[in-house]
Amino acid sequence: MGAQNLTLLTDLYELTMMQGYFETQENETVVFDVFFRSNPNRSGYSIMAGLEQVIEYIKTLHFCYEDVDYLRGLGIFSENFLHYLSGFHFSGSIYAIPEGSVIFPKEPILKVVAPIMEAQLVETAILNIINHQCLIATKTSRVVFAAQGDGIMEFGLRRAQGPDAGLYGARAAMIGGCVGTSNVLAGKLFNVPIMGTHAHSWIMTFKDEYTAFKEYAKLYPNSCTLLVDTYDTLKSGVPNAIRVFQELRDEGITPKSYGIRLDSGDLAYLSKKARAMLDQAGFTDAFIAASNDLDELLIHDLKMQGAAITSWGVGTNLITSKDCPSFGGVYKMAAIQNEAGEFIPKIKISENVEKITNPGNKTIYRVYDKKTGKIRADLVCFVDEVYDTNQELLLFDPNATWKKTRLPGGSYTMREMLKPIFIHGECVYKSPSVMEIAEYCKQEKDTLWDETKRLFYPHRVYVDLSQKLYDTKTKLLNDMNKEY
């Protein structure tokens, strides 16, 4: 499946503003930041995802004849502007935090530096892509944490909000830590493991449960997972599964992977009883998988209750992020380039303090404790600021400036998080494979303190401003107050 041309995947006002800039000849180079104000799902962190699809979108960005003809038919665009669109291409630069990285609120996770007409056009699609995949990757990461090392299988395609949500949600879930997906198309397109068993209808089709299990085992002797709750889990399902496993053993067949799946009932009770039955029959290496409207909170509770489950199929609550169905990323202007080539900081103010933006052309340095490798804070600063890790670093809370942390020189390391993706319209970044991103994400989560990863009331990672950026922001706010 080739990349789609999503050029018209935009809000109408992006195009009407573009025409306004075109007619007034206002097309200065600007900086727009993509950021989010709070972590979804009450999490202590989020996961960056969707960058590869942003790259595909930018690469295919053009107005074909049919696009221009459609816009002409709306009757609101001039012929001169439509002629401009017919030759449109993206000539700007994009910087982003790599996929799989842990990210935090109020820092730019993607930055567009481009003529304002171009920067305005790409807003909607970039937010659509990034918001969705970051949301699902973050939700998945919480589910994976709750499972304490057990495998999580993404089973949500049939409950996703449409084919794209199912496809790219599966991609994001793999980045967040799933070991496989039931989505065959995702497996093909992203080269990720696909997994699955059979439905209750398979059991109901045969004359009895035992026959259904036996026929399935004949077809898939090396990977045999039997769904045991169609009729009666403990009186029928598990005993019949054991009977089939014994027959395989008697025939000298040793499956690479075999076990049972529970899809209803009290999963803690049933799994413990089933485990005892399997062990007593000599099948101590048979796994027990579970599904049935699982999420991180239910998995957490089941683990606390000693459920004998080692593999979890998670569907609806993961693919839709049911308890928090939106990520909340926004796209705000931060600077305008003047005739001398300098970026003049711009700020948006609001009576809601959390909606006041951070001005200027910025980057992010992640600060790590040198001894443990754990994240101390993220430092947002101007792109021309330079730091020497041999010197003391002063960090302060921008909302409560008396809260300060001094890191002695040599006690910390720093890493710039925003990487160049497009430079003057040319893509300079090659996306890793999904499985490579997933492995990187796992390493990234290892840099978080345990207190930040916990499901309930996690510790907040501080996102601080440099002194220069804080002073600039304060001055702009004070100047605006004088003006109005």
Side-chain angles (χ1 to χ4, degrees):
M1 187 172 79
Q4 294 177 280
N5 178 5
L6 301 178
T7 304
L8 291 187
L9 185 68
T10 190
D11 292 306
L12 178 61
Y13 82 162
E14 311 287 18
L15 291 167
T16 55
M17 284 190 288
M18 281 181 73
Q19 178 168 245
Y21 295 134
F22 178 83
E23 297 295 346
T24 58
Q25 298 184 340
E26 296 285 344
N27 199 25
E28 299 97 334
T29 295
V30 296
V31 175
F32 274 88
D33 293 335
V34 174
F35 62 95
F36 59 103
R37 297 188 178 104
S38 61
N39 291 309
N41 313 112
R42 302 176 299 280
S43 179
Y45 64 94
S46 295
I47 300 294
M48 179 65 174
L51 180 57
E52 184 174 358
Q53 282 63 54
V54 170
I55 292 171
E56 292 173 355
Y57 161 69
I58 295 295
K59 283 183 174 180
T60 59
L61 194 61
H62 71 282
F63 291 85
C64 65
Y65 173 81
E66 290 81 5
D67 294 337
V68 174
D69 197 46
Y70 168 74
L71 294 176
R72 179 180 289 112
L74 298 178
I76 58 175
F77 298 111
S78 70
E79 282 302 316
N80 286 339
F81 178 61
L82 293 172
H83 178 72
Y84 161 77
L85 292 184
S86 66
F88 177 90
H89 68 280
F90 184 79
S91 66
S93 300
I94 294 177
Y95 302 81
I97 295 178
E99 291 190 90
S101 300
V102 292
I103 53 177
F104 307 104
K106 301 179 182 178
E107 63 185 13
I109 61 175
L110 185 146
K111 178 175 72 172
V112 175
V113 184
I116 194 167
M117 292 171 66
E118 300 175 27
Q120 203 75 70
L121 175 65
V122 301
E123 171 184 5
T124 304
I126 287 176
L127 287 177
N128 176 272
I129 294 166
I130 294 294
N131 276 333
H132 175 238
Q133 290 201 46
C134 286
L135 176 70
I136 304 305
T138 303
K139 178 67 172 180
T140 303
S141 185
R142 287 173 55 81
V143 174
V144 168
F145 177 80
Q148 300 176 26
D150 297 343
I152 299 295
M153 300 170 286
E154 185 277 306
F155 280 179
L157 177 57
R158 63 189 61 191
R159 299 288 176 81
Q161 285 97 340
D164 279 355
L167 180 63
Y168 295 110
R171 180 184 187 275
M174 293 302 301
I175 290 172
C178 281
V179 297
T181 174
S182 66
N183 189 327
V184 179
L185 183 57
K188 175 188 175 184
L189 293 179
F190 308 128
N191 193 27
V192 298
I194 55 174
M195 299 176 174
T197 56
H198 58 75
H200 294 101
S201 58
W202 173 268
I203 310 298
M204 297 163 67
T205 300
F206 292 85
K207 63 178 182 178
D208 56 44
E209 189 175 51
Y210 162 69
T211 303
F213 286 171
K214 185 174 182 178
E215 292 301 320
Y216 191 83
K218 282 183 182 179
L219 290 169
Y220 309 106
N222 288 321
S223 180
C224 184
T225 305
L226 303 177
L227 180 59
V228 296
D229 72 328
T230 304
Y231 302 122
D232 188 298
T233 300
L234 299 180
K235 292 181 180 180
S236 173
V238 176
N240 281 322
I242 289 173
R243 182 180 175 186
V244 170
F245 294 154
Q246 186 63 54
E247 289 174 355
L248 288 174
R249 180 174 290 177
D250 292 343
E251 294 173 17
I253 298 173
T254 304
K256 294 180 181 178
S257 173
Y258 74 105
I260 63 172
R261 177 163 72 98
L262 304 170
D263 189 50
S264 62
D266 187 326
L267 297 179
Y269 172 79
L270 292 174
S271 67
K272 286 184 281 189
K273 289 292 186 180
R275 179 77 272 161
M277 295 167 70
L278 288 164
D279 290 351
Q280 186 176 10
F283 298 105
T284 57
D285 56 343
F287 63 78
I288 299 178
S291 48
N292 187 27
D293 288 334
L294 299 171
D295 63 10
E296 68 269 39
L297 303 183
L298 180 52
I299 291 173
H300 173 269
D301 284 353
L302 289 169
K303 297 290 284 188
M304 288 184 64
Q305 295 166 38
I309 298 166
T310 56
S311 182
W312 309 79
V314 187
T316 305
N317 292 320
L318 186 154
I319 204 67
T320 65
S321 186
K322 189 174 180 179
D323 59 331
C324 181
S326 64
F327 190 70
V330 296
Y331 186 89
K332 299 298 180 183
M333 183 190 290
I336 297 179
Q337 193 174 46
N338 64 15
E339 293 181 357
E342 300 172 323
F343 281 101
I344 307 304
K346 295 290 182 176
I347 192 169
K348 174 189 176 296
I349 64 173
S350 171
E351 291 186 5
N352 298 329
V353 175
E354 68 275 8
K355 289 193 172 185
I356 298 175
T357 60
N358 292 320
N361 186 14
K362 303 176 292 298
T363 190
I364 307 164
Y365 284 100
R366 183 151 292 169
V367 183
Y368 299 91
D369 181 83
K370 192 171 185 178
K371 184 177 180 180
T372 64
K374 303 296 185 182
I375 298 173
R376 293 298 302 267
D378 273 7
L379 181 63
V380 183
C381 61
F382 292 120
V383 294
D384 59 356
E385 294 190 70
V386 178
Y387 294 89
D388 182 353
T389 55
N390 292 315
Q391 300 296 317
E392 180 184 81
L393 180 66
L394 174 64
L395 299 172
F396 63 91
D397 186 332
N399 296 315
T401 55
W402 63 90
K403 296 181 180 180
K404 293 180 171 65
T405 299
R406 296 183 184 274
L407 302 180
S411 70
Y412 65 95
T413 61
M414 301 179 77
R415 176 166 71 112
E416 189 170 7
M417 296 303 295
L418 286 173
K419 306 297 181 185
I421 309 301
F422 285 85
I423 298 296
H424 304 308
E426 295 295 323
C427 185
V428 297
Y429 181 84
K430 180 175 173 55
S431 291
S433 71
V434 172
M435 296 310 294
E436 288 171 336
I437 297 170
E439 179 57 33
Y440 168 71
C441 184
K442 184 178 178 182
Q443 296 168 10
E444 275 284 279
K445 286 185 280 188
D446 285 342
T447 67
L448 294 168
W449 300 89
D450 290 342
E451 293 82 356
T452 300
K453 291 187 281 188
R454 65 190 177 214
L455 295 177
F456 307 102
Y457 306 105
H459 175 73
R460 179 169 65 92
V461 173
Y462 291 101
V463 175
D464 297 327
L465 307 183
S466 70
Q467 186 68 58
K468 184 177 179 181
L469 176 55
Y470 176 81
D471 291 344
T472 299
K473 182 176 182 177
T474 301
K475 183 178 185 304
L476 288 173
L477 289 171
N478 288 335
D479 290 347
M480 195 68 67
N481 188 51
K482 291 176 184 177
E483 185 173 344
Y484 294 99

